[in-house]
Amino acid sequence: MLDGPEPVLRVSDLRTVFATRDGEIHAVNGVSFAIAPGEVLGVVGESGSGKSVTMMALMGLLPSPPAQVSGGPVLYRGQDMLTRSGRERRRLRGGEIGFVFQDPMTSLNPVFTVGYQIMEPIRAHLGLGRRAARARAAELLALVGIPDAARRLDDYPHQFSGGMRQRVMIAIALSCDPKLLIADEPTTALDVTIQAQILEIVRELRARLGMGIIWITHDLGLVAGLADRVMVMYAGHVIEHGPVRRIFADPRHPYTRALLATVPRVTGTRARRLPAIEGQPPVLTGPPRACPFAPRCPQAFNRCRVENPGRRYVSEGHDVACWWDFSAGEPYHDP
Ligand code: ADP
Ligand code: MG
């Protein structure tokens, strides 16, 4: 899927099913993608499309039961994450792999000071002593825009506002100079100035460390400004993927087109939320056979309702999972 340098992460056919009292929920249905060093992959899709579950699954963070993760491999620098022990995965997480969770309250431990929680991975992964770790922790807190950072190290998570806690999470994720950063809607609770500041830090680290980045967001303006490539998810599928300019200029999936319809300018930096799209979100019970978007799709025809379109080539690095061919203005013909 990627030519050039060895990817930091290469995910193939990842799947996740939740066993619930009401039956199975097929949350991730064969997701594949790769990230090269220094590259930013923007992940978009409406709420419930499987973005968070995909990242949790590949990091081995979903409790089983109820989650059953299958498929793969998920190659992090050539080694399969899915077959590593929990201990090995924990060693990577917080060290080489920084992860900013969608909900910062569930990922900060309420009984430890914020300083301790930043210093712990620094000491474990970078082998710094107490003093040096504390100095670095203060530096990181200041970097993400927390006023009076050195003193605030001794405060507990509940003494920080939601936006501040999110910044603390970002500081922790960046604390060990990760090779891969997975950020799940990391800036949603932040005001635009702080958000811009954090994006600047991330850009700088990406350039300096060659960090690969997965950035999940609802903000299409941010994707246009930060990402190299975009992956659009729907019902646990990657329905379109490609270079950011190609996707914004020439979207090929009706869902992507609907998302972008309300974004007037490609390079606009104004924050824009994903627009609401008419119709019901997909039902994830039972393995998907048809195209999951068919019930809401203005382009849908018979084939869409019975057969799932796999991802097909559009142009260099750009693929789409759709039976409609916008360039021909007619159903896609298998070669
Ligand atoms: P997104 O991050 O794109 O908003 P998620 O990845 O959080 O979406 O969720 C994808 C789907 O998986 C949703 O339908 C959600 O309800 C379901 N899901 C997530 N966690 C669980 C769970 N623990 N048990 C059952 N279903 C779950
Ligand atoms: Mg999510």
Side-chain angles (χ1 to χ4, degrees):
M1 193 193 312
L2 265 192
D3 299 324
E6 172 72 11
V8 192
L9 185 73
R10 184 188 289 276
V11 177
S12 305
D13 194 37
L14 185 67
R15 294 168 184 275
T16 303
V17 177
F18 290 102
T20 73
R21 226 177 307 165
D22 303 324
E24 292 185 332
I25 309 261
H26 292 249
V28 180
N29 298 298
V31 166
S32 304
F33 62 94
I35 300 170
E39 195 182 32
V40 182
L41 176 71
V43 181
V44 299
E46 69 190 348
S47 202
S49 56
K51 306 180 298 294
S52 296
V53 173
T54 297
M55 302 310 153
M56 301 286 277
L58 68 87
M59 290 297 295
L61 291 170
L62 294 172
S64 173
Q68 300 158 259
V69 176
S70 63
V74 173
L75 298 179
Y76 170 71
R77 302 177 83 200
Q79 284 198 35
D80 192 359
M81 294 286 286
L82 298 185
T83 58
R84 286 187 189 219
S85 69
R87 195 159 150 266
E88 283 177 311
R89 280 197 294 241
R90 273 191 298 279
R91 195 178 51 73
L92 288 174
R93 197 166 71 231
E96 290 185 28
I97 305 177
F99 200 133
V100 184
F101 295 87
Q102 190 167 1
D103 177 5
M105 213 37 201
T106 56
S107 35
L108 285 172
N109 190 328
V111 306
F112 292 112
T113 64
V114 154
Y116 175 82
Q117 295 183 63
I118 307 179
M119 284 158 65
E120 227 245 337
I122 297 175
R123 298 186 66 181
H125 296 283
L126 301 183
L128 297 188
R130 236 193 91 76
R131 267 182 157 214
R134 193 176 164 94
R136 185 174 166 87
E139 202 181 294
L140 283 159
L141 272 196
L143 196 67
V144 295
I146 294 192
D148 206 3
R151 197 184 52 76
R152 305 250 25 209
L153 287 178
D154 299 317
D155 288 345
Y156 289 86
H158 74 267
Q159 293 169 282
F160 290 78
S161 69
M164 290 278 186
R165 282 195 292 262
Q166 207 164 18
R167 283 186 253 174
V168 170
M169 282 307 302
I170 293 168
I172 293 174
L174 295 174
S175 64
C176 298
D177 290 345
K179 295 190 163 52
L180 175 66
L181 173 69
I182 302 175
D184 192 351
E185 307 200 23
T187 53
T188 38
L190 305 180
D191 70 56
V192 282
T193 325
I194 298 295
Q195 183 173 315
Q197 199 175 326
I198 289 190
L199 291 179
E200 207 36 62
I201 300 165
V202 168
R203 282 195 191 95
E204 193 270 323
L205 285 173
R206 162 210 192 169
R208 184 159 60 81
L209 304 172
M211 177 170 78
I213 300 170
I214 301 172
W215 198 277
I216 300 176
T217 179
H218 278 103
D219 184 343
L220 294 166
L222 192 149
V223 168
L226 180 72
D228 302 298
R229 283 185 296 126
V230 191
M231 180 163 100
V232 185
M233 289 191 63
Y234 190 84
H237 298 261
V238 176
I239 52 116
E240 186 158 11
H241 159 260
V244 89
R245 280 171 197 287
R246 303 272 333 149
I247 300 284
F248 277 76
D250 187 20
R252 293 302 181 94
H253 197 286
Y255 178 67
T256 318
R257 292 167 87 93
L259 287 185
L260 293 172
T262 58
V263 182
R265 277 190 304 125
V266 176
T267 52
T269 48
R270 291 236 308 279
R272 288 178 198 286
R273 320 289 305 178
L274 288 191
I277 291 173
E278 264 183 61
Q280 293 300 310
V283 179
L284 300 172
T285 49
R289 283 185 199 89
C291 170
F293 190 59
R296 294 164 88 180
C297 183
Q299 240 69 40
F301 54 100
N302 289 342
R303 190 176 192 178
C304 310
R305 297 184 191 96
V306 290
E307 193 180 346
N308 185 289
R311 288 163 72 177
R312 65 177 167 85
Y313 178 91
V314 176
S315 61
E316 183 67 41
H318 183 182
D319 58 80
V320 67
C322 181
W323 290 125
W324 185 259
D325 183 350
F326 278 102
S327 60
E330 59 179 49
Y332 172 72
H333 296 289
D334 298 300

